[in-house]
Amino acid sequence: MSVIANTPHPPYYAVIFTSTRTEGDDGYNQMADRMAELAEQQVGFLGIESARESIGITVSYWSDLDSIKKWKANTEHIEAQKMGRQSWYDSFKLRISKVERDYGQLIDEAN
């Protein structure tokens, strides 16, 4: 899997989750892996990119707003959101943007 999501031609949507973490793991990494796995199974999911230093930024890509709404309402995702607010994040912000243009080059990992 590439660290840069291979998204289709626009338009599509980006959900940008920016956060600062509390100290310790407390199950965070396991839940983050589960949420990525679960998101990949959702209708409308296009890809995900994530990086963490002093702040974490995760961008997930979706075909439409309805798919994002259904993902937000997913039962396991709701539980992860609750745990995040209670235990894992000092602060966070979520933004939803419509991608109207993209360009670049992805290296074919098969070579």
Side-chain angles (χ1 to χ4, degrees), residues 1 5 8 13 15 26 29-32 46 51 55 94:
M1 180 170 81
Y13 291 85
V15 176
D26 296 322
N29 287 325
Q30 182 178 355
M31 182 64 82
L46 302 173
I55 65 167
L94 186 114

Side-chain angles (χ1 to χ4, degrees), residues 91-103:
S91 60
F92 66 90
K93 183 125 180 154
L94 186 114
R95 298 167 178 99
I96 299 174
S97 300
K98 184 176 184 180
V99 177
E100 303 216 5
R101 206 173 328 158
D102 70 9
Y103 50 90

Side-chain angles (χ1 to χ4, degrees), residues 44-64:
F45 177 81
L46 302 173
I48 192 167
E49 300 164 343
S50 189
R52 177 162 292 283
E53 289 292 330
S54 58
I55 65 167
I57 300 174
T58 298
V59 183
S60 58
Y61 299 100
W62 300 86
S63 61
D64 55 70

Side-chain angles (χ1 to χ4, degrees), residues 14-27:
V15 176
I16 306 156
F17 182 74
T18 307
S19 64
T20 57
R21 286 281 321 278
T22 57
E23 292 292 323
D25 180 78
D26 296 322

Side-chain angles (χ1 to χ4, degrees), residues 56-106:
I57 300 174
T58 298
V59 183
S60 58
Y61 299 100
W62 300 86
S63 61
D64 55 70
L65 291 172
D66 190 53
S67 296
I68 295 168
K69 185 177 180 179
K70 288 177 181 172
W71 169 237
K72 185 177 185 337
N74 177 284
T75 306
E76 279 188 74
H77 189 210
I78 289 171
E79 184 61 27
Q81 293 169 48
K82 180 180 173 183
M83 293 171 69
R85 285 188 298 274
Q86 292 176 348
S87 302
W88 296 323
Y89 300 116
D90 282 328
S91 60
F92 66 90
K93 183 125 180 154
L94 186 114
R95 298 167 178 99
I96 299 174
S97 300
K98 184 176 184 180
V99 177
E100 303 216 5
R101 206 173 328 158
D102 70 9
Y103 50 90
Q105 178 179 343
L106 295 179

